[in-house]
Amino acid sequence: MPRASIFVTCIVDQLYPKVGMAMVDVLERIGWQVDFPERQTCCGQPAFNTGYRDEARTVARHFLDVFRDAEYIVVPSGSCTSMIAHHYAELFQNEPEWLALTHRLEPRIWEFSKFLLEVARVEDVGARLERVATFHDSCHGLRELGIKEGPRRLLARVQGLSLREMDAAEECCGFGGTFSVKFPEISGGMARTKIDSIQRTGADLVVGIDVSCLLQIQGALSRAGLPVGTMHLAEVLACR
Amino acid sequence: MTGAQEQKIRQTLDDANLQLAIYTATGRLMSHRKAAVAEDVLPDFQELRTQANLLKRHAIENLDHYLEQFESQVVAHGGKVIYARDGAEASEFLIDLAKKKGARLMVKSKSMTTEEIDLNERLERQGIEPVETDLGEYIMQLAHERPYHIVAPALHLTRYDVADLFTRKLGVERETEIEKQTKIARAVLRQKFLAADIGISGANFLVADSGAVVIVTNEGNGRMATTLPRIHVAIAGIEKVIPRAQDLAVFLKILARSANGQHITVYTSFLAGPRREGEIDGPEEFYVVLLDNGRTRLLADREKRQSLYCIRCGACLNHCPVYRKVGGHSYPGVYGGPIGAIITPQYLGVTHDPWLPFASSLCGACAEVCPVKIEIPKLLLALRSEVVQAKLRDTQSRIERLSFRVWAWAMRRPRIYEMLGFMGSALLGGEGWIRRLPKLLSHGPLGAWLSQRDLPRLPARSFRQLWRARRKAGEN
Ligand code: SF4
């Protein structure tokens, strides 16, 4: 049985463990053995994005150390995947050993939907969910990893699910890590623009590939008292 | 952030009409651009972006060479080139020139560079009247506001706002139709064009091999401002130089499309020197002021010098979800939006407005559309790191520094990390939502979050606990 290591990300670990479990379910269902290296914590992105490069490097080294021998690393987040695959190299440009390890791991890091389609090569995972959903393109997945059609293809195979496009699918939800608390009014305003667009679709569910965006969208939906739910792609695919 | 800046942002966010005006106007520019660069309309758009990026890189890496070449070409055509270190030097030149020539009235075509150096105020202080002749700029001049957007200065005003403004300032009857408003402005401006002694323009490009100042406009005012008055002075940042006239084949194809979806602007003027024998129009004297004003500081930085590639198309503003919320007057400096957020800190120093590079969700929409492929998010990240390295001494910065140090320490110690998780879940765990905090706690990040959004309560068990439990169950 092929084997994949998962990096669940700190936010899934602490806030959305169900998403991690759903990802495990789906991977096992399609015949992969899942390994969860227990020393994993965070990829370092919060520090990197806030300008704390030394701190980011410290945490990134820990990540590289934990996963140094993994063959496939599957991540339920476009943002964290991109951090590792695109920004570690910048962090370690002056540290040849860590840079070499980074380059070794770069091709082994897979965002969940990309892993399903490009490595496991499955589109239909046998999921079923009776909902009207709309898909939110998370920025780093879309613009740094080129993830656009993939999740939609996977969702199209979910029985009972109907998918409606938002007019502002590609517009940022306003999360942006520490941006969301450094500039709460701007971030909140962006979230409200997003949920306006969500509402125009008439969907009762927002699906995404990053729980950080979903946290923002879900929080704004709840504040506005709107009966629209949010689910990570893995959770949708785990339904049957 | 200063109190005034904070207030401006809040005001803009709270003004529903203004929000709608910004969102609609930028949205329109976005969809026009999208149509103009679509695969079937301009199949080689991505290729053109790459070429534009390479051309700009080449020009900036060899800036000294091309500036000299440009200068010698201008001189050969009978013009003069003046190097100005900053706004004061540039305006001093103009003021001296005005005094020498007895000029009291100057007409201007649209130029962000002159906005950058507060030229109008400086001239007015010397008793010289500068008149903006681009309709949007003219409106902003009447309103005593700085441009809201680098391409569309009056983007935030509706035609009803303009109608009120014209009535108030020009004493005309209230006209809400745009054509009629244009007519009103035209009548006023025509007189100014004819009476002006000096015409001032910016430059979209300075062409090194031909010594030409190239400006692109839609209203024809640029043409009048640079050819009717006796003297034409172009004021341009040194980064505007491009090697060859033929390079315009790349830039002109992408500039207007990126700005507002036009395939090309209505007017593209090549201004190379004063009127020559046998020519029917053009000024008697021709000057180009090459402005530094912080640009050489940018040039010194290998990574960030790409900010100088900017051709001021405004696409990054239109696509920026932050600009679309806070509008053009919430930024320090005259350049708003993503490009402003990267050049203003470099012009003024990162500690001048240390919050600016952080005011972005790093969504990357700007870089996706930038026709010269400036890596804006990457530069924002670099600037953030510089701000952190500057070790600001205010309480909030100190707390943040300490927090990240502790955080990094904990993140490489899985047990401590897990313990922190336990603590979090003990404090904030349970079902449902957190909506409000006791007042005492409402100042930190959690309070900031809850000021806008709810927060789901933390689950009782983390993923790793669920994982362990599952494995144990599997073993039994
Ligand atoms: S940074 Fe790029 S997108 Fe923004 S104004 Fe300049 S050229 Fe246009």
Side-chain angles (χ1 to χ4, degrees), chain B residues 1 28 32-33 58-59 82 91 113 115 161 176 191 203-204 210 217-218 237 302 328 345 359 385 410 432 459:
Chain B
M1 203 183 298
R28 199 178 307 126
H32 289 171
R33 172 196 170 274
H58 176 76
I82 295 92
S91 11
T113 310
E115 294 288 341
D161 297 329
T176 53
Q191 298 311 313
N204 290 95
S210 49
T217 61
N218 279 326
R302 202 169 267 291
S385 149

Side-chain angles (χ1 to χ4, degrees), chain A residues 13 15 28 38 40-41 49 52 58 140 143 171 180 182 184-185 187 193 216 219 222-223, chain B residues 10 23 325 361-363 368 384 400 411-412 417 433 435 450 452-454 458 463-464 468 470:
Chain A
D13 186 26
L15 251 62
E28 289 182 346
E38 286 204 35
Q40 65 179 269
T41 58
N49 281 1
Y52 291 85
T58 304
H140 295 165
R143 301 197 178 88
E171 261 169 54
S180 65
K182 277 180 187 270
E185 287 94 355
S187 167
T193 300
Q216 164 91 344
S222 165
R223 179 59 57 96
Chain B
R10 201 154 292 155
Y23 198 75
K325 284 286 148 209
S361 64
L362 301 174
C363 78
E368 189 180 25
R384 288 178 183 192
E400 189 184 280
M411 285 299 142
R412 48 191 283 254
Y417 161 87
W433 297 91
R435 297 181 204 277
L450 291 174
Q452 303 289 318
R453 299 137 290 206
D454 295 343
L458 301 190
F463 174 82
R464 63 193 62 221
R468 281 185 209 129
R470 185 173 182 271

Side-chain angles (χ1 to χ4, degrees), chain B residues 180-226:
Chain B
K180 295 208 171 126
Q181 294 176 346
T182 312
K183 248 185 211 151
I184 296 171
R186 205 172 271 166
V188 178
L189 292 175
R190 184 122 313 171
Q191 298 311 313
K192 303 284 182 186
F193 276 125
L194 293 171
D197 311 288
I198 297 182
I200 302 173
S201 76
N204 290 95
F205 304 97
L206 304 170
V207 186
D209 72 355
S210 49
V213 170
V214 176
I215 61 174
V216 300
T217 61
N218 279 326
E219 296 167 15
N221 65 310
R223 211 165 254 216
M224 310 234 304
T226 55

Side-chain angles (χ1 to χ4, degrees), chain B residues 135 138-139 158-160 162-163 166 172-189 219:
Chain B
L135 182 59
Y138 178 64
I139 292 169
T158 63
R159 58 200 170 103
Y160 305 102
V162 175
F166 277 9
V172 293
E173 251 175 64
R174 194 164 185 279
E175 271 305 347
T176 53
E177 269 174 58
I178 294 177
E179 281 95 84
K180 295 208 171 126
Q181 294 176 346
T182 312
K183 248 185 211 151
I184 296 171
R186 205 172 271 166
V188 178
L189 292 175
E219 296 167 15

Side-chain angles (χ1 to χ4, degrees), chain B residues 150 310-317 339 366 369-372 374 376:
Chain B
I150 59 178
C310 176
I311 55 174
R312 304 280 188 269
C313 72
C316 58
L317 283 70
I339 182 63
C366 48
V369 296
C370 176
V372 291
I374 300 174
I376 298 172

